[in-house]
Amino acid sequence: MCTDKMNAMMQKEWFRHKKILVVGLGISGFESAMWLHSVGADVLVTDVQPLGEIRSAYLCELDMAGISVQAGMPLETVPDDTDMVVISPGVSPCMDALKAARKREIPVIGELELAFCVIDRPIIAVTGTNGKTTVTSLIGSLLDNAGISAFVGGNIGTPLIAYARGGKDADYLVAEVSSFQLETVHTFTPFISIILNISPDHLGRHGNFKTYVNTKLGIYKNQGPGQHIIINDEDESLKAVNIDSGAVVHRYGFMPDKMRHAFIDGHYVYASADGASEHLFSLERCRLLGRHNQENILAVVMCGLILGIGDHVIQKTIDEFRGLPNRLERVAEKDGIVFYNDSKATNIDSAIKAVLTLDPPIILIAGGRHKGADYGPLEKVSRGRVKMGIFLGEAGDMLTETFEGSIPAVKVNTMEEAVRRAYACASCGDTVLLSPACSSFDMFSDYVHRGRAFVEAVKKVLNG
Ligand code: ADP
């Protein structure tokens, strides 16, 4: 399976009575196991976490379906009689047991590849270091406004394989695709691929920036005639990319440029999907903040034009989208001090964008689990805009050392202490911004938990 252009029905048949090992029991592993079981595969699921750490609802459903689970030990070896291994995005394909399986010619694929092989619907796939969820959601709203049915999933929440299990029909699948997912695709071919930007992130998993960039660019490697690539050619890491593809390439960037299919001039988006007819969209009613979000809109507009969606529907989508929680979300205001929750800024570039977007003077709360990149560029853009840095978590000391000397900086131990310090030194007209530039896993279960802790601390501090 998955090696030639078999149709989705034949692909499903292939799995009957095959022995499939699913590695990782998060949402992707769970949905993969349930789908594989539904088409008659003999499924075994393994996870390094002990049973108590795994979601009990997954364990319960797998048990009811009669699917075996091995929990609490690392995968030492893949059994010889295994026909295929399906891994979750959180599982590195470089694990010794998986390397050994590949040597024995046991295919190792990810959930995204599995979904692509068995779902017979065109896919719009969105990747990039930042903005994926925003753009994926915007495209979901765009299709909805146009009366086109869509399943919106992937890294944004529900894995694509859940569509195969769901029984509902959709015209398109809109998929947020992470670099971890792209590590394990072979034949994955979207109808439209969108590459928003690439900046250093996840270097621990990918080893170096070059590998990370190449993994992201893998999104279009199988595309050809009749398919489309939308790429931000103003992005530092993308502008030099020479796309050798039979697919139609649509380049966009913020600054006006004749070579671009979409750009911004004043308050307007100028765009053309075919290079001939020009379309104009106003940004005056757009509620998303910042130049980076205007770039996101360019990608969405291009996607709409390729799909033949009417200008008024595209404009309505731009006007009505309210933004997502935990992304430059205005959460409180008191005494002329405004508080923003940007907890989803889990890397340096997204925090830089927040500092550049919001009105100075800014009191910046940042820190969390260090992901290997340099905080120097964040300190540089903060000069003259950030009046104080308040840092917490495992990266707290590193951030404090990077900032002090040019910007007052303190290290604190809790989110509440961070908000208390921020409020104490803020005056009317200041912005208090949580934009961590780090992942949340040192102190919180995820970025949503971190955002909630910030909002709760703000409420507590403001209410005395
Ligand atoms: P992702 O799904 O790629 O993590 P999100 O849409 O969830 O992206 O946004 C994550 C963070 O990145 C937020 O802080 C958001 O403000 C910021 N962001 C959104 N779009 C961009 C962009 N085009 N460039 C840089 N940062 C962005």
Side-chain angles (χ1 to χ4, degrees):
M1 98 112 207
C2 299
T3 49
D4 55 21
K5 284 270 163 234
M6 279 195 256
N7 68 37
M9 214 46 223
M10 286 161 72
Q11 300 277 26
K12 278 184 207 166
E13 265 311 302
W14 183 89
F15 285 98
R16 188 176 298 278
H17 306 308
K18 291 286 190 311
K19 280 195 179 310
I20 313 291
L21 177 67
V22 173
V23 186
L25 188 40
I27 190 164
S28 298
F30 169 73
E31 290 290 349
S32 300
M34 293 302 287
W35 181 83
L36 288 160
H37 175 75
S38 75
V39 293
D42 180 359
V43 186
L44 169 65
V45 187
T46 83
D47 197 300
V48 66
Q49 307 268 20
L51 281 178
E53 303 277 310
I54 297 171
R55 242 176 108 163
S56 53
Y58 294 161
L59 294 171
C60 201
E61 269 204 61
L62 292 171
D63 186 48
M64 279 192 325
I67 301 171
S68 313
V69 175
Q70 254 175 20
M73 49 186 154
L75 180 68
E76 297 288 353
T77 178
V78 172
D80 270 336
D81 60 350
T82 305
D83 292 295
M84 174 176 280
V85 184
V86 177
I87 66 173
S88 300
V91 173
S92 168
C94 298
M95 279 168 65
D96 287 344
L98 298 177
K99 278 189 194 157
R102 279 193 294 268
K103 266 199 190 139
R104 284 180 287 146
E105 300 200 338
I106 300 173
V108 177
I109 65 168
E111 173 271 329
L112 183 65
E113 176 75 10
L114 176 68
F116 172 73
C117 292
V118 301
I119 296 172
D120 194 8
R121 295 280 90 200
I123 298 177
I124 300 165
V126 182
T127 201
T129 303
N130 291 309
K132 297 182 293 297
T133 307
T134 303
V135 169
T136 305
S137 309
L138 265 161
I139 294 173
S141 304
L142 175 67
L143 297 186
D144 196 33
N145 289 337
I148 299 171
S149 62
F151 174 92
V152 178
N155 199 50
I156 193 171
T158 315
L160 287 200
I161 194 69
Y163 171 81
R165 211 159 74 85
K168 276 199 194 144
D169 212 14
D171 295 323
Y172 288 94
L173 268 58
V174 187
E176 175 184 327
V177 176
S178 70
S179 57
F180 292 2
Q181 290 170 304
L182 287 169
E183 271 185 317
T184 49
V185 295
H186 308 288
T187 65
F188 177 68
T189 314
F191 170 54
I192 301 177
S193 64
I194 302 178
I195 311 158
L196 301 171
N197 48 63
I198 307 186
S199 62
D201 201 8
H202 305 300
L203 300 181
R205 165 87 169 245
H206 295 291
N208 57 56
F209 186 55
K210 196 170 167 212
T211 310
Y212 174 58
V213 174
N214 287 337
T215 308
K216 285 263 182 218
L217 295 180
I219 194 167
Y220 68 76
K221 68 180 176 189
N222 298 316
Q223 287 185 279
Q227 295 165 338
H228 301 265
I229 302 168
I230 300 175
I231 185 163
N232 177 356
D233 81 343
E234 203 173 54
D235 181 82
E236 270 312 304
S237 311
L238 295 176
K239 61 181 166 203
V241 174
N242 177 22
I243 301 179
D244 182 16
S245 170
V248 187
V249 182
H250 308 264
R251 297 178 183 277
Y252 72 90
F254 187 87
M255 298 303 286
D257 184 326
K258 279 204 202 78
M259 301 304 284
R260 296 198 169 125
H261 291 82
F263 55 80
I264 311 253
D265 200 355
H267 291 296
Y268 290 92
V269 168
Y270 290 78
S272 172
D274 55 11
S277 53
E278 194 170 67
H279 303 252
L280 202 63
F281 302 95
S282 165
L283 292 171
E284 261 157 6
R285 283 180 300 278
C286 176
R287 278 175 267 202
L288 292 175
L289 301 175
R291 172 181 167 145
H292 60 289
N293 270 318
Q294 297 194 341
E295 289 175 11
N296 292 341
I297 286 170
L298 291 173
V300 176
V301 166
M302 284 313 304
C303 180
L305 293 178
I306 291 166
L307 296 176
I309 294 175
D311 288 8
H312 63 289
V313 177
I314 297 177
Q315 185 66 63
K316 175 180 158 73
T317 307
I318 296 172
D319 293 346
E320 292 181 354
F321 192 75
R322 294 182 159 272
L324 299 170
N326 297 297
R327 291 139 180 107
L328 288 179
E329 184 190 9
R330 186 183 170 115
V331 290
E333 179 172 356
K334 192 175 179 188
D335 307 329
I337 304 160
V338 188
F339 294 77
Y340 283 90
N341 168 19
D342 192 35
S343 175
K344 185 68 201 294
T346 56
N347 53 51
I348 290 159
D349 189 53
S350 50
I352 287 177
K353 296 295 179 342
V355 167
L356 289 174
T357 297
L358 298 181
D359 289 335
I362 295 169
I363 299 164
L364 174 66
I365 301 174
R369 175 146 297 162
H370 180 58
K371 289 173 37 192
D374 172 21
Y375 299 110
L378 176 60
E379 181 271 335
K380 207 168 159 199
V381 302
S382 296
R383 286 184 218 162
R385 299 186 68 79
V386 171
K387 77 175 203 187
M388 177 159 192
I390 301 177
F391 302 124
L392 74 167
E394 287 174 6
D397 286 328
M398 231 184 283
L399 276 156
T400 310
E401 278 160 30
T402 310
F403 272 63
E404 64 191 2
S406 61
I407 298 167
V410 285
K411 162 102 194 286
V412 295
N413 293 315
T414 64
M415 186 61 86
E416 188 179 325
E417 199 188 337
V419 174
R420 222 170 264 294
R421 292 291 286 260
Y423 190 51
C425 81
S427 25
C428 181
D430 286 0
T431 300
V432 175
L433 165 68
L434 167 72
S435 194
C438 295
S439 78
S440 55
F441 304 119
D442 56 339
M443 291 172 66
F444 304 97
S445 53
D446 56 19
Y447 74 89
V448 177
H449 181 204
R450 175 167 65 189
R452 210 181 309 127
F454 173 70
V455 173
E456 277 163 14
V458 169
K459 274 193 198 141
K460 197 168 167 188
V461 169
L462 294 191
N463 294 332

